[in-house]
Amino acid sequence: MWGVNKAFLRSYILLSLTSFICLGHPWIQRILVLAWIGNTVRISDNARHNGIELFNFLCLAFVSQFTGVVLTFISVWSMISGKFGEWPSGLMEVWYHPFIPILEMIPPGHLGNWSYMYLATCLVPVGMICISWVCWMIGQFPLNVRRNP
C-alpha cells in the first residue's frame, strides 16, 4: 500500500525537478503538469487493480501532499496573524511551483486582502487530492461498463 505513496511522491518530485529545469517556458511546464496527471491516472489504475480501496487511496494521496497542506496552513495562519512575514507563502509557492503556469491563467483580482492567485495556490492540495479521486473514478468506469452489458 505504501508503494502507491512512494509512486505519488516520486512522480511529484520528478514533476518539481523537471519544471525547475523548464522555468521560463510555461507551455512546457503546462505539458509536464498534464503528463503528471496522466501518471496519476496510471498510479490510480494500478492501485485499484491491486485491491486498494478508494478511502485508503485518498488517504495516501493526502499523505503524499501533507507537506503542502502544512505549508498552506502555516501560510494562511501567518497572513491572518501577521507573524513570520512572507516566508511561509514563499515556501508554499516553492512546493506548488509546478502549477504556477496554470495558476497564472487566473485573471488578476482580489477578494478582500487576498489575491485570487494566492487563494488558488492555497487550494492546490485539495485540487491534487480531487485529481487523484477523479483519476480513480475514470479508471473504474470502463470496468462498470464491462460488468453491465
Side-chain angles (χ1 to χ4, degrees), residues 73-131:
F73 176 76
I74 291 171
S75 175
V76 170
W77 178 73
S78 70
M79 294 287 277
I80 292 171
S81 68
K83 298 181 184 200
F84 300 120
E86 291 290 320
W87 71 266
S89 298
L91 284 176
M92 179 187 67
E93 289 193 22
V94 166
W95 181 256
Y96 290 122
H97 84 275
F99 296 95
I100 296 298
I102 293 173
L103 295 173
E104 287 176 343
M105 294 189 290
I106 296 171
H110 292 290
L111 184 63
N113 293 333
W114 307 72
S115 71
Y116 291 156
M117 174 86 161
Y118 177 77
L119 293 172
T121 306
C122 289
L123 291 175
V124 167
V126 174
M128 291 176 74
I129 294 170
C130 288
I131 287 171

Side-chain angles (χ1 to χ4, degrees), residues 36-48:
W36 175 80
I37 291 172
N39 192 36
T40 301
V41 170
R42 185 188 60 78
I43 292 169
S44 303
D45 194 43
N46 287 342
R48 195 173 30 71

Side-chain angles (χ1 to χ4, degrees), residues 144-149:
N144 288 339
V145 171
R146 284 186 223 133
R147 284 188 208 144
N148 299 322

